[in-house]
Amino acid sequence: MPELPEVEVVRRGLVSWVRGRTITGVEVLDPRSIRRHALGLEDFIGNLLGATVMDVVRRGKFLWLPLVDSPAAQPLGDPAGGRVGPDSSPAVALMAHLGMSGQLLMQDAAAPDEKHLKVRLQLSPREGMPEQLRFVDQRIFGGLFVTAMVPTDDGGPGGLAETPLPLIAGEAAHIARDPLDPAFSFDLFYRRLRKRKTGLKRALLDQGLVSGIGNIYADEALWRAQLHYARPTDTLRRGEAERVLECARAVMLDALAAGGTSFDSLYVNVNGASGYFDRSLNAYGREGQPCERCAAAGIHSTIRREQFMNRSSHTCPVCQPRPRNGRF
DNA sequence: ACTCTGGCCTGTGGGC
DNA sequence: TGCCCACAGGCCAGAG
């Protein structure tokens, strides 16, 4: 179940394999994986064939490959009719979301099809590099589609990239910057957080407020910050908001350093190797096990699992007490 | 305008 | 052994 650090691992791995290569073949083995592409399968394939990948960019868990020089006519109704915008910037991008179980794998043509192979892209040959980029997805919560590149609303870069552009893939434009984005603004986040009338975890999971935080890292960040998931956002003090954001960032950086997290072997990075950060989790998946922070202080406490938002929430009842009257 | 629920998916595993 | 159901959860459409 890839979260932001895993997607960043994929981005970094992928860019050296695909940048500058041309898509010479597209095979869609399961059209359900192209479901968000409104103009249909033919348009999807036509937009990719002959296009050259310029970069691999990420914001939150959205990952996209800006494309140039496609011979396909009138992509997405763009009157320019081509891949290149007026300032020679990419006009469209191949967007990928890994969902719950998506993988992007570089493979040799001889490698047997994966059980849940959904899309196969053939790339122009390059010495010592696999010729296929494959999208594999068991649960089909993820998918691929082509989207237009649009200017960002703050003039900053669209996302993390080797060559940042003031453009963003249209389908990701509504997503807030993530905590690993150098252009992330804490002031903006805190201002919007205080206006919400909801619980802290729900806010952390809202990709429009801050992107890239999923259920696992939300639980970890809250545990590290010693805050309860139901804490009302409109009572959060600035220091508390800074703490939980900094903890989310720290969990992500730890996971990144470890090469990503893997829980059920569904997630592997672009080269096929699983991460191992799951051994370092303090809250998620540790129901009934001792809270390590309390244990270190000589206090006996066990991690509790509760249903919240149709998800599991893991907390320590001692060091993350449920808020009373909106505060501790 | 904001908040929140339901539904999309399939493989795994526990209960009977 | 085999059937059934709960569970995993990011994201969005649509209800409230």
Side-chain angles (χ1 to χ4, degrees):
Chain A
M1 39 195 90
E3 298 208 31
L4 182 148
E6 291 89 335
V7 182
E8 176 60 14
V9 168
V10 171
R11 188 192 73 78
R12 292 179 186 181
L14 205 54
V15 68
S16 60
W17 295 110
V18 302
R19 189 161 49 153
R21 295 177 77 179
T22 298
I23 299 169
T24 59
V26 181
E27 185 183 354
V28 177
L29 291 93
D30 187 342
R32 291 177 299 174
S33 290
I34 318 295
R35 66 164 66 149
R36 292 174 66 166
H37 190 88
L39 297 181
L41 220 51
E42 273 185 41
D43 183 81
F44 173 79
I45 294 170
N47 270 281
L48 296 182
L49 276 178
T52 298
V53 177
M54 296 312 289
D55 205 345
V56 184
V57 189
R58 182 191 61 74
R59 180 187 287 211
K61 294 171 215 171
F62 284 88
L63 194 67
W64 63 93
L65 284 57
L67 303 173
V68 294
D69 294 339
S70 167
Q74 306 292 324
L76 302 173
D78 172 13
R83 246 3 85 114
V84 181
D87 56 351
S88 298
S89 305
V92 296
L94 170 61
M95 171 73 85
H97 199 293
L98 301 181
M100 283 294 296
S101 54
Q103 298 167 254
L104 286 168
L105 304 174
M106 295 300 303
Q107 292 282 31
D108 289 320
D113 287 4
E114 290 76 9
K115 185 176 179 189
H116 299 289
L117 178 62
K118 303 299 184 186
V119 181
R120 187 202 322 270
L121 301 184
Q122 195 78 30
L123 303 178
S124 51
R126 185 168 289 182
E127 182 67 27
M129 290 193 180
E131 56 266 52
Q132 292 187 359
L133 173 60
R134 299 183 182 181
F135 180 70
V136 178
D137 192 11
Q138 176 197 109
R139 293 177 195 165
I140 326 183
F141 271 43
L144 303 182
F145 49 96
V146 174
T147 180
M149 298 286 288
V150 300
T152 55
D153 52 16
D154 61 2
L160 252 68
E162 302 304 298
T163 310
L165 294 170
L167 297 173
I168 185 168
E171 287 278 341
H174 65 292
I175 297 295
R177 292 185 185 277
D178 61 68
L180 298 186
D181 188 332
F184 180 87
S185 164
F186 175 78
D187 286 343
L188 177 62
F189 166 76
Y190 184 59
R191 222 166 27 239
R192 298 182 62 200
L193 182 74
R194 285 289 302 235
K195 283 186 197 154
R196 299 282 172 113
K197 292 235 174 297
T198 188
L200 178 54
K201 181 169 176 180
R202 197 185 287 277
L204 292 176
L205 293 175
D206 185 340
Q207 305 295 299
L209 188 61
V210 52
S211 69
I213 302 178
N215 195 46
I216 298 169
Y217 293 171
D219 280 2
E220 290 302 305
L222 289 166
W223 183 87
R224 289 199 190 195
Q226 293 183 247
L227 291 166
H228 191 275
Y229 61 79
R231 176 67 182 275
T233 51
D234 57 359
T235 70
L236 264 195
R237 291 181 284 268
R238 188 180 178 87
E240 293 172 318
E242 276 175 341
R243 198 164 82 224
V244 75
L245 239 290
E246 194 44 53
C247 289
R249 188 178 288 116
V251 174
M252 289 177 180
L253 289 173
D254 285 354
L256 206 48
T261 305
S262 178
F263 287 91
D264 52 12
S265 302
L266 281 173
Y267 170 76
V268 294
N269 72 23
V270 73
N271 294 316
S274 292
Y276 51 90
F277 179 70
D278 50 302
R279 291 176 209 152
S280 329
L281 295 177
N282 290 111
Y284 184 87
R286 297 195 69 248
E287 181 186 17
Q289 297 177 51
C291 168
E292 300 291 347
R293 177 170 47 222
C294 289
I299 301 164
H300 176 72
S301 174
T302 54
I303 300 294
R304 174 190 296 164
R305 182 168 72 101
E306 296 165 276
Q307 286 302 107
F308 177 68
M309 292 176 68
N310 284 328
R311 303 284 182 266
S312 289
S313 276
H314 304 77
T315 56
C316 170
V318 173
C319 58
Q320 295 172 271
R322 180 175 283 277
R324 298 195 182 101
N325 302 323
R327 291 174 187 257
F328 284 85

